[in-house]
Amino acid sequence: MKNKNKPLSYPQLHHQNHTLFLFFFFCILLCYLVPSNGIEENEAASVGYGYRIGSVSVDPSGKSLTAYLVLINGSTIFGHDIQNLNFIASFETKDRLRIQITESDHKRWEIPQNIIPRQTHSPHPHRTLPETKSSPSQSKTTSSYFLSDPTSDLILSLHNTTPFSFSITRKSTKSVIFDTSSTLFIFKDQYIQLSSSLPKLTSSLYGIGEHTKRSFKLVPSDTQTLTLWNADIGSANLDVNLYGSHPFYLDVRSSSTSIQSHGVLLLNSNGMDVIYSGDKITYKVIGGVVDLYFFAGPLPELVIEQYTELIGRPTPMPYWSFGFHQCRYGYKNVADVEGVVAGYAKARIPLEVMWTDIDYMDAFKDFTLDPINFPLDLMKKFVNTLHQNGQKYVLILDPGISVNETYGTYIRGMQADVFIKRDGVPYLGKVWPGQVYFPDFLNPASEVFWGGEIRIFQDMLPFDGLWLDMNEISNFITSPPTPSSTLDDPPYKINNAGVLRPINNNTVPATSLHWGNITEYNAHNLYGLLESKATNAALINVTGKRPFILTRSTFVTSGKYTAHWTGDNAATWNDLAYTIPAILNFGLFGIPMVGADICGFSGNTTEELCGRWIQLGAFYPFARDHSSKDTIRQELYLWDSVAAISRKVLGLRYQLLPYFYTLMYEAHIKGTPIARPLFFSFPQDIKTYEINTQFLIGKGVLVSPVLTSGAVSVDAYFPAGNWFDLFNYSNSLSVNSGKYVKLDAPFDHINVHVREGNILAMQGEALTTQAARKTAFQLLVVVSKSGNSSGEVFLDDGEEVEMGGKGGKWSLVRFYGGRIGNKVSVSSQVVNGGFALSQKWIIGKVTFIGLEKKVKRLKGFEVETTDGTNFNGNPVIKESRSGNFLIVEVSKLSLPIGKEFKLQVNF
């Protein structure tokens, strides 16, 4: 991707002594005269005084609790307080509690239901527990009102103190997961402040993005904000707001008796600062309402399942998108791009998808081709050749539409009246093509317009996917604010870009209007989501296939429509390491198809860095090499050593394609991420909470990359169990309790291990996913000490719009294995086996690993199918002994994967 912004620079102090003296004197004076944006408890009264409860009622159905809140005292800091508020609490499911706080007398901005559908009524019964009164000796009259659900572990307590507060408690443990009692609640038109105390020693927080962080686990800071305001700031910049906004966090709580997790979402699209100090989390929001959701968990993966049940399950990705992708900003012409494809083929490195950045466009205008360098006839020939070779083509679109009276897209957009307006006329911005208007994706007519342009271009050039960039919205100019407007210049300054940058900088002004008189101030963070939603619908309508969309800007629910990459990183070792926390975060946010620019986008990469990066990037859910035009070329075949590494690691990725794709199915059905933190599988192991340098693919494949220059070993953490090297099953290690192990990691090797108890369905290596899908399946059964192993594989054509839908053409095969006495076996259960049988997919080999060496000599094996039929082939069985374990391989099988079977080996 492209980003005109260099890494952010920060103000520097002059070195003259007298200037320093005046500077510090002025700062001290400001401390006395000007209230800080970060308000401590003893200073909060200058901003607000909180609310008291006027009345409390329960819905006649018993399904919700409503309180009427009255302002205690007013303040004018950051604007006038809202006098009267409604507090509504309801259980939407047994695992989801919602709290809404909004103005009683006027309707405020909330995200429209047609963008993010939400429930308004709960089907579950509720009861209000008796209020608990204080003793007469207390100086203040207090009482608490309770809302609970018989099936839920959560209880809401509404405290009738002055000021009021509320808390959420678990029934099972009596632990408090959210508690506002130690801070004031402030609600002004353009400033809302809400805090919850946290148990500093037992609470581990993850989420609140998008930011580039050194650590996956949030690090407490009293001074650093987690700012949410979508901006074109390169992801090479640490600890500042980036392209997306996700006000959701996962809290993993550890104690001596239990490990329990919960999630919290503040569904609000306005700009905000979030301050996490370890013992408290504070939201400072510049508009909208309080719309809080609490997800009960208690396991981390259940929290994400409950979260995505609300926001929408991730959209399924086409099978081919799990192959390897190549892109660069700066490809010169068709011949250049063709040369890249040929380079991969010559080096025998898998290449699934070729991309072009804005270079293909005519003067950087969307839906056009450069007539000199990327003429239509040559591009059609190029794309057709890709398709003949089983490869795909993806191109970029930016939202800005060039203001050009001879440009068809502009003409049709003006006729449809679909552009964002300011002062009654389309807002004039500037991006790559020069002056532009921006489509208003809140306008219902925009979907017809946008879909029509995609259809016209698809009819001209049959591309396979779309890449949406610059959609924060990025703008090369900063328009002056409307005089005296508190939208363009709100009273509270969020920490935009880490330097309190005005919110209008390099984007569409906040006073601009969308359809329905919705201000950009309120809808700014939604733009990338809305463009992705419209593009998803358009591609389904135009192609009739499962769409592939990659977007830079995201918001809550973006995963329903699109994949994401982490933006403009840099070719540095630090940036390589930062990609792991970034990718894990987007799994929490409900966007499991995520990756980072392999080898780095900006700056020149090196042979060593690129080699190590493809080792890691080969196991990103989305794997793409991408670089900027002002850098050296970094296609994987350019260095012999990197080419050899790429063949090795992408070879394993392509063997694991059925596993990746099945994890996509699981994500689509349940919301579970593809790339996962270790604590998802090992929540009882609190050491996993701190790990930033490793991750799991699914539940049991552990990736432990080298992230520092010159290293030839890696200190990798292994939770308890037996682990086996996926590059060489003879290499294993056994851990009784979690510990760090120093592993050899020469330049040509990355450590990837599978844990006991897993069954992986794999296929053969190939240069395209199409070719790989034609190879026989191989089952890897990793025998567990407990005796039970399991796995599954989801099979369909890889491009049907719905994944696993009713009446669809798909199969799901579950595998169960283990050892009982002198027998080890694997069997299958098949759902919708007809599709797999129609494709004539077979299992050609079954390998058992993890068998303890003490087993006796092999006596033979037997195979049976549920219908009693025999299978074709002349099976061969062999064993090998290495280390502490035995490997048994049964090959030359020809078992139809769509037919249930049981294979048993006897000792």
Side-chain angles (χ1 to χ4, degrees):
M1 242 356 303
K2 324 157 298 300
N3 187 335
K4 67 185 185 303
N5 298 310
K6 296 180 179 178
L8 294 170
S9 59
Y10 294 84
Q12 300 295 316
L13 300 180
H14 296 292
H15 296 290
Q16 290 88 343
N17 289 336
H18 71 281
T19 307
L20 278 173
F21 173 81
L22 290 174
F23 174 83
F24 286 118
F25 174 81
F26 181 67
C27 287
I28 293 169
L29 186 63
L30 283 178
C31 290
Y32 286 94
L33 298 180
V34 181
S36 167
N37 271 1
I39 303 156
E40 299 299 329
E41 188 64 29
N42 62 347
E43 300 171 331
S46 64
V47 176
Y49 299 89
Y51 292 79
R52 63 176 177 83
I53 296 175
S55 63
V56 178
S57 63
V58 178
D59 184 84
S61 67
K63 294 182 177 181
S64 66
L65 177 151
T66 300
Y68 181 63
L69 305 179
V70 181
L71 183 69
I72 294 172
N73 213 338
S75 165
T76 58
I77 304 298
F78 304 142
H80 293 279
D81 297 87
I82 303 298
Q83 292 290 322
N84 303 311
L85 301 175
N86 288 335
F87 176 104
I88 304 170
S90 59
F91 282 92
E92 297 195 332
T93 72
K94 69 181 183 65
D95 298 313
R96 185 170 82 228
L97 171 63
R98 183 182 185 185
I99 293 178
Q100 301 162 272
I101 309 176
T102 188
E103 191 170 355
S104 301
D105 305 321
H106 298 93
K107 184 171 177 58
R108 293 178 60 83
W109 161 255
E110 297 183 53
I111 300 168
Q113 282 278 353
N114 65 322
I115 298 175
I116 302 179
R118 279 104 68 202
Q119 292 185 20
T120 54
H121 301 284
S122 170
H124 298 280
H126 297 73
R127 61 192 179 94
T128 304
L129 301 180
E131 59 184 72
T132 304
K133 302 253 182 184
S134 64
S135 64
S137 62
Q138 288 179 284
S139 59
K140 295 181 180 179
T141 300
T142 63
S143 61
S144 295
Y145 301 90
F146 298 89
L147 185 70
S148 68
D149 183 305
T151 64
S152 178
D153 194 33
L154 301 182
I155 300 175
L156 165 72
S157 301
L158 180 64
H159 306 297
N160 191 14
T161 52
T162 302
F164 100 103
S165 65
F166 67 91
S167 58
I168 313 294
T169 307
R170 284 194 185 276
K171 289 180 189 174
S172 58
T173 62
K174 312 303 181 186
S175 60
V176 179
I177 67 172
F178 201 86
D179 183 7
T180 69
S181 61
S182 63
T183 58
L184 289 174
F185 174 63
I186 299 167
F187 199 121
K188 301 170 184 281
D189 186 38
Q190 291 181 264
Y191 182 78
I192 300 171
Q193 181 176 309
L194 172 72
S195 299
S196 170
S197 56
L198 294 166
K200 191 170 187 177
L201 297 179
T202 59
S203 176
S204 296
L205 262 59
Y206 308 85
I208 307 288
E210 179 180 11
H211 311 93
T212 299
K213 292 285 185 184
R214 294 180 175 87
S215 168
F216 176 47
K217 179 181 173 180
L218 291 178
V219 176
S221 173
D222 290 314
T223 58
Q224 188 178 91
T225 61
L226 299 164
T227 299
L228 304 187
W229 181 255
N230 295 357
D232 180 1
I233 297 173
S235 57
N237 295 283
L238 276 171
D239 301 323
V240 295
N241 51 301
L242 300 178
Y243 316 106
S245 292
H246 296 270
F248 168 79
Y249 69 81
L250 169 68
D251 186 344
V252 183
R253 300 274 178 97
S254 60
S255 71
S256 58
T257 58
S258 67
I259 305 294
Q260 294 193 315
S261 306
H262 65 271
V264 179
L265 168 68
L266 174 59
L267 187 57
N268 182 302
S269 65
N270 291 87
M272 69 179 76
D273 287 338
V274 182
I275 299 96
Y276 169 58
S277 60
D279 59 352
K280 183 171 64 176
I281 186 167
T282 299
Y283 301 89
K284 299 180 179 183
V285 193
I286 61 173
V289 300
V290 173
D291 196 359
L292 282 167
Y293 292 85
F294 300 91
F295 306 93
L299 295 174
E301 66 179 77
L302 286 177
V303 173
I304 305 307
E305 185 173 340
Q306 294 154 11
Y307 178 49
T308 56
E309 181 185 21
L310 170 70
I311 67 170
R313 304 292 195 208
T315 187
M317 292 289 145
Y319 198 95
W320 57 261
S321 66
F322 288 91
F324 179 71
H325 304 244
Q326 177 62 50
C327 187
R328 178 175 171 82
Y329 172 34
Y331 285 135
K332 297 179 177 63
N333 50 39
V334 175
D336 193 1
V337 179
E338 288 174 332
V340 172
V341 176
Y344 274 93
K346 182 178 180 181
R348 305 295 294 169
I349 300 172
L351 176 64
E352 186 72 16
V353 190
M354 194 66 212
W355 296 54
T356 52
D357 208 309
I358 59 174
D359 315 283
Y360 78 88
M361 299 176 181
D362 180 12
F364 304 133
K365 299 191 299 291
D366 282 348
F367 308 111
T368 67
L369 292 171
D370 181 336
I372 304 300
N373 297 311
F374 294 87
L376 178 59
D377 58 337
L378 294 183
M379 283 297 289
K380 290 179 74 170
K381 180 182 176 183
F382 167 67
V383 173
N384 288 338
T385 300
L386 286 177
H387 291 165
Q388 289 168 10
N389 292 335
Q391 296 168 306
K392 306 294 182 182
Y393 172 60
V394 173
L395 51 81
I396 195 170
L397 290 176
D398 291 339
I401 302 301
S402 176
V403 177
N404 185 325
E405 298 290 347
T406 65
Y407 172 35
T409 299
Y410 167 79
I411 294 169
R412 289 183 288 271
M414 290 297 292
Q415 291 170 343
D417 191 23
V418 294
F419 296 119
I420 296 171
K421 293 182 171 61
R422 193 186 195 203
D423 299 326
V425 296
Y427 169 72
L428 188 65
K430 182 179 181 181
V431 201
W432 299 107
Q435 292 185 328
V436 297
Y437 292 158
F438 297 102
D440 174 10
F441 289 105
L442 280 167
N443 187 334
S446 67
E447 191 166 307
V448 177
F449 160 72
W450 192 248
E453 298 308 302
I454 289 173
R455 179 179 293 278
I456 292 169
F457 201 58
Q458 167 69 208
D459 289 344
M460 188 168 70
L461 186 68
F463 55 85
D464 299 288
L466 290 172
W467 171 21
L468 307 178
D469 191 28
M470 310 289 283
N471 52 351
E472 291 76 31
I473 300 171
S474 178
N475 189 359
F476 290 175
I477 62 172
T478 297
S479 298
T482 299
S484 302
S485 169
T486 59
L487 296 181
D488 285 340
D489 186 19
Y492 175 80
K493 316 301 181 194
I494 60 173
N495 196 22
N496 188 20
V499 290
L500 301 176
R501 190 173 81 174
I503 60 173
N504 279 1
N505 273 41
N506 296 118
T507 191
V508 173
T511 45
S512 302
L513 288 179
H514 296 259
W515 186 81
N517 287 325
I518 295 172
T519 63
E520 172 69 10
Y521 183 86
N522 288 325
H524 172 83
N525 285 340
L526 299 175
Y527 194 85
L529 163 64
L530 294 168
E531 186 189 25
S532 298
K533 185 172 183 279
T535 305
N536 183 287
L539 284 179
I540 292 174
N541 185 45
V542 169
T543 68
K545 297 179 181 179
R546 189 179 305 168
F548 175 76
I549 300 163
L550 185 76
T551 185
R552 193 168 73 177
S553 184
T554 61
F555 188 70
V556 176
T557 78
S558 282
K560 284 179 65 176
Y561 311 104
T562 183
H564 173 67
W565 94 108
T566 62
D568 297 352
N569 61 15
T572 73
W573 290 92
N574 282 339
D575 282 71
L576 170 65
Y578 300 154
T579 66
I580 295 176
I583 285 167
L584 293 177
N585 263 316
F586 273 90
L588 303 186
F589 299 152
I591 309 178
M593 190 61 161
V594 58
D597 286 345
I598 293 171
C599 298
F601 174 74
S602 64
N604 291 328
T605 196
T606 65
E607 181 176 0
E608 183 192 11
L609 177 59
C610 198
R612 290 303 192 187
W613 210 317
I614 185 56
Q615 286 175 344
L616 171 59
F619 302 100
Y620 294 158
F622 170 65
R624 184 186 69 162
D625 180 323
H626 182 43
S627 57
S628 183
K629 67 188 304 180
D630 55 356
T631 65
I632 63 170
R633 299 287 282 257
Q634 61 185 43
E635 289 80 10
L636 300 178
Y637 54 79
L638 292 176
W639 302 271
D640 288 344
S641 66
V642 176
I645 289 170
S646 301
R647 285 188 289 269
K648 177 179 177 179
V649 294
L650 291 175
L652 180 55
R653 179 187 179 90
Y654 275 56
Q655 287 180 283
L656 291 171
L657 282 173
Y659 183 61
F660 273 101
Y661 191 64
T662 301
L663 292 172
M664 178 73 257
Y665 171 72
E666 184 180 347
H668 178 57
I669 297 300
K670 297 170 56 181
T672 319
I674 296 173
R676 306 175 190 176
L678 275 67
F679 63 75
F680 265 52
S681 290
F682 307 97
Q684 301 297 326
D685 185 345
I686 61 174
K687 292 180 181 178
T688 62
Y689 299 1
E690 309 288 338
I691 291 176
N692 308 303
T693 57
Q694 299 168 266
F695 62 94
L696 291 168
I697 306 167
K699 67 177 183 178
V701 174
L702 179 62
V703 181
S704 307
V706 168
L707 301 172
T708 54
S709 179
V712 291
S713 65
V714 61
D715 291 321
Y717 186 80
F718 285 87
N722 297 326
W723 296 84
F724 299 85
D725 184 346
L726 274 178
F727 290 104
N728 184 345
Y729 304 154
S730 297
N731 295 333
S732 65
L733 54 93
S734 300
V735 179
N736 292 325
S737 62
K739 69 176 183 179
Y740 280 91
V741 179
K742 188 172 185 178
L743 301 173
D744 288 336
F747 181 51
D748 65 350
H749 184 66
I750 180 175
N751 284 280
V752 183
H753 291 80
V754 61
R755 189 180 183 272
E756 62 174 288
N758 289 276
I759 300 177
L760 302 181
M762 305 162 72
Q763 283 181 287
E765 296 184 30
L767 297 183
T768 64
T769 63
Q770 183 183 88
R773 299 202 82 186
K774 294 177 180 178
T775 64
F777 280 87
Q778 307 167 39
L779 293 188
L780 179 64
V781 182
V782 193
V783 178
S784 171
K785 292 192 294 287
S786 69
N788 298 315
S789 299
S790 63
E792 64 182 18
V793 63
F794 178 83
L795 304 164
D796 66 3
D797 68 2
E799 61 182 15
E800 188 174 342
V801 172
E802 196 170 354
M803 191 179 201
K806 292 183 179 179
K809 298 176 180 178
W810 56 271
S811 299
L812 178 64
V813 185
R814 296 187 175 96
F815 301 103
Y816 303 93
R819 181 182 175 189
I820 301 177
N822 293 328
K823 299 176 182 180
V824 63
S825 67
V826 61
S827 61
S828 69
Q829 292 181 357
V830 180
V831 180
N832 284 352
F835 175 76
L837 291 172
S838 73
Q839 301 301 302
K840 299 181 179 179
W841 281 314
I842 63 166
I843 298 170
K845 183 168 69 173
V846 175
T847 304
F848 295 92
I849 63 175
L851 290 162
E852 294 181 357
K853 260 189 170 182
K854 62 184 178 182
V855 300
K856 300 176 182 179
R857 182 181 301 177
L858 282 173
K859 293 181 179 179
F861 72 96
E862 54 192 69
V863 180
E864 59 184 59
T865 57
T866 51
D867 60 5
T869 59
N870 295 324
F871 63 93
N872 299 319
N874 298 294
V876 174
I877 185 167
K878 65 178 181 178
E879 64 174 293
S880 59
R881 297 174 184 264
S882 177
N884 297 321
F885 299 100
L886 174 72
I887 300 172
V888 176
E889 182 182 291
V890 184
S891 60
K892 295 188 178 180
L893 292 165
S894 189
L895 285 169
I897 198 169
K899 184 179 292 187
E900 294 183 352
F901 73 92
K902 181 177 181 180
L903 184 153
Q904 181 173 288
V905 176
N906 304 315
F907 299 98

